[in-house]
């Protein structure tokens, strides 16, 4: 799975569906793959449902969400998450920084958006 992460990060992939099911459950392998997506800058849609990874996938996904600025759609159902896993995922979502430039630090010091050079007096 680490090799798969390298491939995903080396190509400009935008959508990845790695659904599990009754006969295709990757468990810890999908956790390693997701961790490899931490610095991916092209992936927007990720489906890692159905692998029964438990809370490990939520903890790793929470960490990935803190660094990944492009992911906008995530399907993680049927992974056996508990309240603790959901709490970890929620914390990652709260810290999710999309880098869209809405920082308040860019405002003028006096709070207006005027060009202060015009206000010489």
């Amino acid at each position: 799975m680490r090799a798969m992460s390298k491939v995903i990060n080396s190509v400009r992939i935008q959508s990845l569906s790695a659904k599990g099911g009754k006969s295709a459950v990757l468990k810890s392998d999908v956790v390693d793959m997701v961790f490899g997506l931490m610095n991916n800058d092209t992936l927007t849609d990720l489906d890692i449902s159905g692998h029964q990874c438990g809370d490990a996938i939520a903890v790793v996904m929470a960490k990935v969400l803190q660094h990944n600025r492009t992911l906008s759609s995530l399907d993680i159902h049927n992974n056996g998450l508990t309240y603790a896993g959901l709490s970890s995922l929620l914390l990652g979502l709260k810290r999710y920084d999309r880098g869209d430039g809405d920082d308040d630090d860019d405002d003028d010091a006096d709070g207006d958006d005027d060009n202060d050079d015009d206000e010489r007096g």
Side-chain angles (χ1 to χ4, degrees):
M1 277 299 154
R2 288 187 180 147
M4 186 175 186
S5 294
K6 287 181 181 180
V7 170
I8 292 167
N9 287 324
S10 68
V11 296
R12 309 290 299 167
I13 190 168
Q14 292 181 331
S15 182
L16 175 63
S17 179
K19 286 184 182 183
K22 290 181 181 179
S23 63
V25 178
L26 297 175
K27 294 201 183 225
S28 64
D29 288 333
V30 80
V31 173
D32 289 341
M33 180 193 73
V34 168
F35 191 75
L37 299 174
M38 181 132 6
N39 295 312
N40 180 285
D41 62 355
T42 61
L43 192 65
T44 59
D45 302 301
L46 178 62
D47 182 348
I48 50 172
S49 61
H51 292 286
Q52 298 303 318
C53 298
D55 292 338
I57 194 67
V59 170
V60 168
M61 197 67 234
K63 189 69 171 173
V64 168
L65 286 174
Q66 293 176 42
H67 297 276
N68 183 293
R69 290 175 164 57
T70 58
L71 194 64
S72 61
S73 174
L74 171 66
D75 188 346
I76 195 171
H77 77 278
N78 288 338
N79 272 297
L81 302 182
T82 67
Y83 179 78
L86 291 173
S87 295
S88 294
L89 193 57
L90 181 60
L91 182 61
L93 286 170
K94 285 182 179 178
R95 293 179 178 170
Y96 183 50
D97 177 13
R98 296 187 59 149
D100 55 10
D102 286 345
D103 289 341
D104 290 335
D105 296 340
D106 294 337
D107 292 343
D108 285 350
D110 59 2
D112 63 15
D113 291 331
D114 295 340
N115 185 349
D116 290 335
D117 291 338
D118 297 337
E119 296 178 10
R120 295 182 192 144

